Amino acid sequence: MMIGIEPNRPAVVPRANAQLGNDNVLHMDEKNVGDSRPDQTHHEGGFRPMAELIEARASESDTLIGGPHYGEFIEQVRELMDRARLANPSDELAKETIVALEQLNARLDEAVVDEWSSPSWTRTDLPARGNITLPPYTVVSGDRDGVTAKVTFRTFHLGGNQAAHGGHISLAFDDILGMTAALATGAVTRTASLTVDYRSVTPLNRELTVRAHAERRDGRKVYLKATMHDGDRLCAEANGLFIVLKPGQP
């Protein structure tokens, strides 16, 4: 599974049993079996071992969890969200769509799994790790020194006048800074504070560049900074405080 980290720079990821191979793919050198959670000696807060989630392999095959069409599944859902954002349907079309969506939701109920078994946010080969709740972004490079990513806000993320909504901008910053904190510390963290300054209009449907890095660490506190650019123009910048979790802390 691709994670977009430069092959000549070592990846620093939570759990030592995940490593970047010559194929630019994260691999494990040991397997975690079943639904075990971290213990007090080797832990990642109250989370399941992250290397296990990143690997995200089917239990009895070498197929990516969610299957080869999961990426297209996510893309089609995003297309639906984009259209719904600006749709002004007739009553007939609305009723027709409601029936179709009710049937589809009933069908998808059969595939709903628990948080730890879902492909969402563990498919590192897909934009935003396959997480439909995030603006889609891809990681260009990432290591202990920082993360560079490309993000595109779509029609669904519209705030007004063809500009991205500030809340979606904050969401993108929060997730990318969380990844940056994990790479900088080798641990699982949670957001304690996030401050975003909006410097200029953030456009839709354009590939923007986010650069993030950890500025310093004070015990469990990790202070981070990120910028978002449209070419040379600064759209927004963020300052975050993330906290490294204690053993068993949710």
Side-chain angles (χ1 to χ4, degrees):
M1 291 184 292
M2 305 299 291
I3 194 172
I5 297 177
E6 295 173 328
N8 61 332
R9 306 186 75 174
V12 180
V13 296
R15 290 287 303 246
N17 61 345
Q19 58 184 350
L20 193 68
N22 293 330
D23 53 0
N24 205 35
V25 172
L26 282 175
H27 298 283
M28 292 176 64
D29 54 29
E30 65 175 281
K31 277 286 185 182
N32 294 285
V33 180
D35 296 327
S36 61
R37 297 173 68 86
D39 57 28
Q40 295 293 312
T41 301
H42 183 79
H43 71 89
E44 295 183 11
F47 286 86
R48 288 280 295 277
M50 293 300 292
E52 174 189 352
L53 295 176
I54 292 173
E55 187 71 4
R57 300 287 184 175
S59 59
E60 296 180 356
S61 72
D62 198 38
T63 303
L64 290 172
I65 185 170
H69 301 296
Y70 186 76
E72 180 59 25
F73 165 74
I74 291 296
E75 175 58 25
Q76 289 302 316
V77 175
R78 290 193 186 278
E79 292 279 358
L80 174 63
M81 293 161 60
D82 288 340
R83 284 162 176 74
R85 177 63 178 84
L86 294 179
N88 181 20
S90 65
D91 191 51
E92 179 181 358
L93 178 57
K95 291 188 291 184
E96 178 184 337
T97 304
I98 289 169
V99 171
L101 289 176
E102 285 178 341
Q103 295 173 344
L104 180 58
N105 284 331
R107 184 76 176 89
L108 287 174
D109 274 342
E110 303 171 12
V112 173
V113 294
D114 64 81
E115 172 186 353
W116 306 111
S117 304
S118 171
S120 180
W121 74 276
T122 64
R123 282 289 297 265
T124 57
D125 59 313
L126 300 176
R129 304 182 306 284
N131 190 338
I132 192 65
T133 65
L134 298 174
Y137 71 84
T138 56
V139 177
V140 176
S141 63
D143 57 22
R144 187 180 295 274
D145 294 328
V147 170
T148 298
K150 300 291 185 179
V151 61
T152 301
F153 294 99
R154 299 171 57 142
T155 303
F156 174 75
H157 306 112
L158 173 65
N161 200 24
Q162 291 299 306
H165 193 289
H168 290 299
I169 295 171
S170 295
L171 180 60
F173 272 135
D174 187 40
D175 198 70
I176 294 171
L177 284 172
M179 178 187 300
T180 305
L183 289 169
T185 64
V188 174
T189 63
R190 277 203 183 275
T191 314
S193 175
L194 179 64
T195 302
V196 178
D197 293 308
Y198 303 95
R199 301 305 188 186
S200 63
V201 170
T202 300
L204 298 178
N205 300 309
R206 286 176 60 88
E207 189 176 71
L208 310 175
T209 302
V210 176
R211 296 183 180 89
H213 66 278
E215 293 191 306
R216 62 188 176 91
R217 179 173 179 176
D218 181 10
R220 294 171 56 215
K221 297 179 180 179
V222 187
Y223 296 87
L224 304 108
K225 185 176 182 62
T227 59
M228 183 180 295
H229 283 82
D230 177 16
D232 294 330
R233 180 171 59 84
L234 177 63
C235 297
E237 54 189 339
N239 290 279
L241 168 61
F242 284 65
I243 305 297
V244 175
L245 297 184
K246 295 179 180 179
Q249 185 176 2

